[in-house]
Amino acid sequence: MHGPTRRFDPAAHRWMDRAWTGRPLAGGVVYELHVGTFTEAGTFDAAVTRLDHLVSLGVSFVELLPVNGFNGTHNWGYDGVAWYAVHEGYGGPAGYQRFVDACHQRGLAVIQDVVYNHLGPSGNYLPEFFPVFSEGGANTWGDSVNLSGPHSDEVRRYVIDNALMWLRDMHVDGLRLDAVHALVDERATHVLEELAAEVDALSVTEGRPLTLIAESDLNDPRMVTPRAAGGLGLTAQWSDDFHHSLHAVLTGEGQGYYRDFAEGGLAGLAKVLTGAFFHDGAWSSFRKRHHGRPVDTDRLPGWKFLAYLQDHDQIGNRATGDRISAALSPGLLAVGATITLTSPFTPMLFMGEEWGAGTPWQFFTSHPEPELGKATAEGRIGEFAEHGWDAAEVPDPQDPETFTRSKLDWSELEQRPHADLLALHTALLALRRARPELVDADLSRVQVDWDDADRWLVVHRGSLRVVANLSGEPREVDLDRPVTDVLLATGELPEVDGETVTLPAESAAVLATR
């Protein structure tokens, strides 16, 4: 940050959430949003006016993309340089506290996305005052943080104290830890294990659950295995394998890292629905090596893995920032939502997904330095050119219109087919709350039947059967037990005859059986 700083007293806020006892992640539903594009105004106070929508939708956790200080006016947030500050354009730290307070008063927990693997390229003065901070090599995004080299004790303390600040001073209920695979730590006790221990201690002091969710590319279940069992002790982690499997099956895309998932087909999706990871020691053609390790489904519950049809990365890191709603029919969108929200995992939605938002979510920056802005734009174009995208289609991240185009259009909620998809998401989340089978996180009890040729899938959730037809024709599916009720259908009601159900094209249903 090239400007002056100011002091802020976090204790000055008069909190109205004294009755708030927090929420456990198990059984919850996460909603990911970017403050700057969630509303037209792009502030915390404006976001508060939309919280009742999230309550009526049925989510329980609001996850904010990074809000710490960065140089410029708008940014995804992952180029932050002032970890202990809150971006003034959103409303600063006081606005942040008002937002968290408002969430708690509505029964919504707050998860804050934090980035500890690097600092942004613009306005980063921390190494000037703290030279040892970035003496940890480099990663994709810049200089790595010095977590295990000389004088790294102080660096680790800086990281952990920042995490505790959000949870304690800002009353946040959890943190999403960005790209933890980029944290280079050669110590016997990894910084994530140390962080988990201190957060657990703070949870006892605060008297409410505190959650740590990792974004990890390692496919290593030890990330979320309790420390007493030899793991790092984090609460949960994102499952990109779930996204990639479902995305490939629905869209047919098979380029880049989608290749293995496309080739795996419905069998691959079934593998993920029962074991969280597709690459569980299997060959990864994208990495050109074997990758991952199996999840012990007898020891780790499904809620420790977040499942999503979309997230900020999987939309924003496409060349044009197009949402999956731009590629799929309303029927297949509904099928994808049904599979995600009835899965044994913790579901996550990306803002606007619940109504199939027509607005893109593109990669945008506002670096004040012309040379940095130019390098960012050229690098973005070059990256996609390598993957076969037309350079002319890639938006300039420095163009203010790229940011403006990415703002949600809330008027879409009243229009069809957006209103229909919103009603389906609301019904699915209500059903998830009403039926214990859908929050049963025992992966060893999940069974999946499928037919790649006819493109249908059946997921066994206790006495319930989630049946999906991904084909363009009606499909007759024989179940293992008689159907007693159709609890939910994404379109026309399926025909039921004892143990046989006939689903319309591109539709899904949740069935009760005996």
Side-chain angles (χ1 to χ4, degrees), residues 489-494 504 507:
T490 63
E492 295 182 10
L493 287 174
S507 70

Side-chain angles (χ1 to χ4, degrees), residues 21-241:
T21 57
R23 278 184 177 273
L25 185 64
V29 178
V30 180
Y31 187 95
E32 185 190 28
L33 68 87
H34 175 264
V35 175
T37 51
F38 185 57
T39 63
E40 181 62 31
T43 64
F44 295 121
D45 289 337
V48 168
T49 68
R50 296 295 182 181
L51 292 181
D52 290 341
H53 164 79
L54 302 185
V55 173
S56 63
L57 175 62
V59 302
S60 43
F61 287 83
V62 178
E63 179 178 317
L64 300 180
L65 267 65
V67 300
N68 54 281
F70 58 83
N71 208 23
T73 58
H74 52 269
N75 192 299
W76 274 20
Y78 296 91
D79 284 331
V81 294
W83 287 357
Y84 285 78
V86 176
H87 180 53
E88 288 295 329
Y90 296 158
Y96 187 88
Q97 289 180 317
R98 291 194 298 271
F99 176 83
V100 174
D101 217 345
C103 285
H104 288 172
Q105 291 173 53
R106 290 165 173 79
L108 296 169
V110 179
I111 297 170
Q112 181 57 59
D113 195 340
V114 290
V115 183
Y116 295 137
N117 52 60
H118 78 290
L119 289 163
S122 178
N124 176 18
Y125 289 92
L126 185 60
E128 299 295 323
F129 300 94
F130 200 1
V132 300
F133 187 85
S134 58
E135 293 178 356
N139 58 39
T140 304
W141 309 285
D143 292 337
S144 297
V145 176
N146 175 22
L147 296 172
S148 54
H151 307 293
S152 57
D153 286 355
E154 292 79 5
V155 178
R156 291 166 76 97
R157 191 69 256 161
Y158 188 87
V159 169
I160 293 172
D161 283 348
N162 180 257
L164 299 180
M165 181 273 292
W166 291 109
L167 299 167
R168 182 190 59 239
D169 299 343
M170 298 299 189
H171 288 208
V172 167
D173 302 283
L175 302 175
R176 182 263 190 189
L177 307 169
D178 180 66
V180 298
H181 49 270
L183 297 173
V184 180
D185 187 357
E186 298 175 348
R187 296 199 191 190
T189 301
H190 196 281
V191 67
L192 292 177
E193 181 181 352
E194 189 176 340
L195 173 61
E198 296 211 23
V199 168
D200 283 350
L202 180 63
S203 176
V204 174
T205 302
E206 294 287 310
R208 56 189 172 94
L210 297 177
T211 297
L212 292 176
I213 302 174
E215 181 202 18
S216 172
D217 187 45
L218 301 176
N219 279 26
D220 186 350
R222 289 175 294 191
M223 189 72 61
V224 295
T225 298
R227 295 190 305 281
L232 296 182
L234 301 186
T235 314
Q237 73 163 78
W238 283 20
S239 175
D240 271 353
D241 281 19

Side-chain angles (χ1 to χ4, degrees), residues 312-391:
H312 74 276
D313 270 333
Q314 302 305 330
I315 301 171
N317 283 332
R318 297 174 66 84
T320 60
D322 53 312
R323 295 170 179 262
I324 200 171
S325 53
L328 296 183
S329 66
L332 285 181
L333 270 180
V335 169
T338 303
I339 293 173
T340 303
L341 299 183
T342 61
S343 77
F345 310 114
T346 297
M348 184 178 75
L349 300 169
F350 181 67
M351 62 177 195
E353 175 183 347
E354 69 272 25
W355 73 79
T359 50
W361 203 72
Q362 300 175 332
F363 180 69
F364 47 82
T365 56
S366 58
H367 299 309
E369 303 89 346
E371 67 282 0
L372 180 56
K374 183 173 182 289
T376 300
E378 291 176 348
R380 186 81 173 168
I381 291 172
E383 177 183 350
F384 285 110
E386 291 178 1
H387 291 85
W389 291 85
D390 183 351

